[in-house]
Amino acid sequence: VQLQASGGGSVQAGGSLRLSCTYSRNMFKIEDMGWGRQAPGKQRETVATITTRGVTDYADSVKGRFTISRDNDKKSVYLQMNGLKPEDTAVYYCYVSFHSDFRPVTRWGHGTQVTVSS
């Protein structure tokens, strides 16, 4: 599976960005999809997930500001980010999960930089 993320950029605090991620070359049924981020000097954290049925979950730090969605026909997952804060500055990564040989697999894509200035 290959993933390509886009939509990052630089915005001022309070601004919005929409991240997109498209996967290809999948040999297995894609299950959960999501987004994580990694700020300098910090570990990667998952910020939003969405199941095949559209059930979503968010990290407390982004609840009410970020919205995850997916379009299975377009093999894509999106992250609408509103009310951005400087602490949201990070490299954002999308991921997909599936089973291979009955084992759960999570595949991360390359990141896209989001920078929020105060």
Side-chain angles (χ1 to χ4, degrees), residues 44-105:
R44 184 180 300 183
E45 61 169 341
T46 299
V47 296
T49 62
I50 185 167
T51 70
T52 54
R53 296 186 177 184
V55 178
T56 59
D57 191 25
Y58 299 93
D60 288 343
S61 58
V62 306
K63 279 181 180 177
R65 300 187 298 120
F66 290 10
T67 303
I68 188 172
S69 60
R70 65 190 285 172
D71 186 329
N72 295 326
D73 291 337
K74 294 183 178 179
K75 296 185 177 181
S76 295
V77 61
Y78 309 97
L79 187 67
Q80 177 66 44
M81 304 185 294
N82 299 327
L84 283 162
K85 304 175 181 180
E87 51 263 44
D88 294 319
T89 295
V91 178
Y92 284 71
Y93 302 86
C94 60
Y95 74 85
V96 298
S97 62
F98 53 92
H99 279 75
S100 174
D101 293 332
F102 305 105
R103 295 181 178 181
V105 176

